[in-house]
Amino acid sequence: MTSINPEKLFVNKKSVGSFLHKQIKKAHPNIEEEIISTNTRLDNEKYNLISIDPKKRGLQKRKFLGLLHRNSLWKLDPNGRSTDFLPSNMIGYGCRFNCSYCYVDRRDPATFPKLYDDALDIIGLIKHTMLNIKDSEELFYKVTNKKVERKRDSKHSNYITFDLGCDSDCVLDNQITYNNEYPGHIIDIINNVAEIPEAMISFATKSASIDNFIKYVKKPEMTRIRLSLMPEHHRSVLEMNTSKIEDRLQAINKLVAAGFEVHINLSPIVITANFAAEYADLLKLVNDSLSDSAKKQMAYEIIFLTHSASLFGKTPEYAPKAHDMMVNGPLKLVPKWNKPNVLSYDKASKDQLKIIMNSLIEEFTPYSRIRYMF
């Protein structure tokens, strides 16, 4: 079971004594602490993770945490895919995992988990949004040219959805602050947002360590959790330290039984020579593993491999096996026409891939709809 058991905490001097600082200390009472004067110190090679050796980097990611100071303005970022809105500020960034395809914020993926001391301010942002929901929906339409999901998807619940961010894994992040007196900052946010009429939290995870969410989330029906899946062989190469696929599928059943809404992220799909057969086997496993209750509410989000041009060139050094898997398939990654630093498969190829995925889903899990695919 993947967990956070850090040995050292870098804490900004302005964050010392803050609520989240106290919870981290309770969660990890034996952690060594170093006060830093500025957040940017963690960008210094002396402190940040610079090893290109996967084993050494993985060890560093398990050892360190950061609590950073921030007091910035929170705004809405209309999304329209996984959720209606993302917050303009991430509540944290960095991760315990070693996923070789990661290009979050175009940073080097070798970054340890870091939490911002104003993370709980997202609750106020969501309250403000729901008190001004007409203005928020107008902003959403202006940016995305479509209506919020509850107004365009007849199977969507009557909630406005808010993502907790895509820069970290929320299941693991909750362990940063979880202790005997506090359920963790992620669960704290979920429980507070659940009291805001028609507001719903969502996040994606690659972890099956969901027992605390089942135990402490007060209104699970107000939370959508998206479990990311790929063929197990792909996971073992591309997603070091993440939960096994069979464990994630069992987590889905547990979460649905506890009242959560759970969807599946097929993400990222890496096209290999055996892509169709590998995903047919994965979808067979999904169908054989899911409970009837899980199947009734299941939906997919599907994303084909996307990478950063600036970071992709580093993968031969820190993840050679993963690099081989990503480049030796029948399709090549090319720059997107409107985002030259973003690599993906070309549009014509993706159109064919979408046909294949639609066919596989219809054959093996016809009860699951596709929320989006790109």
Side-chain angles (χ1 to χ4, degrees):
M1 181 177 292
T2 304
S3 61
I4 291 180
N5 296 296
E7 297 178 10
K8 187 167 186 176
L9 171 67
F10 297 99
V11 56
N12 188 293
K13 64 181 182 181
K14 294 182 179 179
S15 304
V16 174
S18 65
F19 176 76
L20 291 180
H21 181 220
K22 293 176 181 177
Q23 302 311 320
I24 292 173
K25 296 283 284 183
K26 291 178 183 178
H28 311 285
N30 298 320
I31 196 168
E32 177 188 352
E33 188 171 87
E34 180 174 335
I35 309 300
I36 57 176
S37 59
T38 173
N39 295 342
T40 57
R41 183 176 178 182
L42 293 186
D43 294 327
N44 187 304
E45 289 186 351
K46 180 179 178 182
Y47 302 99
N48 215 350
L49 305 179
I50 59 175
S51 175
I52 63 173
D53 181 273
K55 292 183 180 179
K56 290 182 180 179
R57 193 177 75 251
L59 180 62
Q60 290 170 320
K61 287 166 75 72
R62 289 193 291 271
K63 282 186 175 182
F64 301 145
L65 284 179
L67 179 62
L68 309 183
H69 177 69
R70 187 179 61 192
N71 187 21
S72 55
L73 182 64
W74 290 69
K75 297 180 181 179
L76 287 175
D77 181 7
N79 180 256
R81 282 180 171 156
S82 296
T83 56
D84 294 314
F85 296 101
L86 289 164
S88 59
N89 300 328
M90 296 298 101
I91 60 178
Y93 75 92
C95 188
R96 161 72 166 70
F97 297 141
N98 283 315
C99 301
S100 56
Y101 50 77
C102 178
Y103 72 103
V104 170
D105 277 1
R106 307 299 188 265
R107 293 186 190 86
D108 190 305
T111 52
F112 54 88
K114 304 174 183 73
L115 176 62
Y116 288 106
D117 59 9
D118 66 344
L120 299 181
D121 286 359
I122 190 175
I123 300 167
L125 172 69
I126 294 173
K127 284 181 179 178
H128 177 79
T129 300
M130 298 310 297
L131 288 172
N132 299 275
I133 189 58
K134 288 186 178 180
D135 291 340
S136 302
E137 289 184 351
E138 288 177 4
L139 173 64
F140 183 91
Y141 186 81
K142 182 179 180 180
V143 173
T144 67
N145 198 33
K146 53 188 175 183
K147 295 180 180 179
V148 292
E149 195 168 6
R150 67 179 181 180
K151 292 187 176 180
R152 69 176 191 270
D153 182 355
S154 60
K155 295 185 178 181
H156 190 273
S157 51
N158 190 35
Y159 300 120
I160 297 293
T161 53
F162 298 85
D163 206 309
L164 285 185
C166 56
D167 286 19
S168 57
D169 189 293
C170 289
V171 169
L172 288 186
D173 278 4
N174 194 69
Q175 297 176 21
I176 295 174
T177 54
Y178 166 76
N179 60 72
N180 291 334
E181 300 173 8
Y182 186 62
H185 65 287
I186 298 295
I187 292 176
D188 191 7
I189 292 170
I190 289 172
N191 285 338
N192 274 278
V193 172
E195 299 302 321
I196 304 172
E198 299 185 355
M200 183 176 186
I201 286 293
S202 181
F203 61 85
T205 183
K206 302 180 183 73
S207 175
S209 303
I210 43 77
D211 290 351
N212 280 348
F213 286 79
I214 292 173
K215 184 176 182 180
Y216 294 111
V217 171
K218 297 176 182 178
K219 296 181 179 179
E221 69 278 6
M222 305 292 286
T223 301
R224 177 197 295 147
I225 300 178
R226 291 127 44 208
L227 267 290
S228 298
L229 302 183
M230 60 175 56
E232 176 60 27
H233 171 61
H234 288 212
R235 182 209 67 82
S236 65
V237 175
L238 300 169
E239 295 183 348
M240 293 177 64
N241 302 331
T242 61
S243 296
K244 293 181 179 180
I245 298 304
E246 61 182 16
D247 293 337
R248 298 186 207 180
L249 286 165
Q250 290 308 308
I252 291 174
N253 289 337
K254 291 179 183 179
L255 288 165
V256 171
F260 291 86
E261 182 178 1
V262 184
H263 290 174
I264 288 175
N265 280 5
L266 296 178
S267 167
I269 295 180
V270 175
I271 306 303
T272 64
N274 300 317
F275 147 71
E278 290 169 335
Y279 273 83
D281 288 343
L282 175 63
L283 294 181
K284 288 178 187 175
L285 179 63
V286 169
N287 183 61
D288 291 344
S289 302
L290 292 185
S291 65
D292 290 342
S293 297
K295 290 177 180 179
K296 285 181 181 179
Q297 53 87 71
M298 187 52 64
Y300 288 113
E301 301 179 12
I302 302 175
I303 305 173
F304 297 101
L305 177 61
T306 305
H307 217 299
S308 158
S310 59
L311 292 181
F312 187 65
K314 298 180 182 181
T315 56
E317 296 177 295
Y318 71 79
K321 290 182 179 179
H323 183 80
D324 288 346
M325 180 178 284
M326 290 188 283
V327 301
N328 289 336
L331 300 178
K332 303 303 178 185
L333 292 172
V334 297
K336 295 187 72 171
W337 68 271
N338 59 339
K339 297 179 180 179
N341 191 48
V342 176
L343 303 179
S344 189
Y345 303 122
D346 66 82
K347 184 180 184 303
S349 296
K350 277 190 177 180
D351 288 343
Q352 293 302 309
L353 295 174
K354 290 176 182 178
I355 292 173
I356 295 171
M357 287 305 302
N358 273 305
S359 176
L360 291 173
I361 289 170
E362 180 61 30
E363 179 177 358
F364 296 108
T365 59
Y367 44 81
S368 298
R369 75 188 195 279
I370 299 173
R371 294 184 60 214
Y372 63 85
M373 177 163 40
F374 69 93

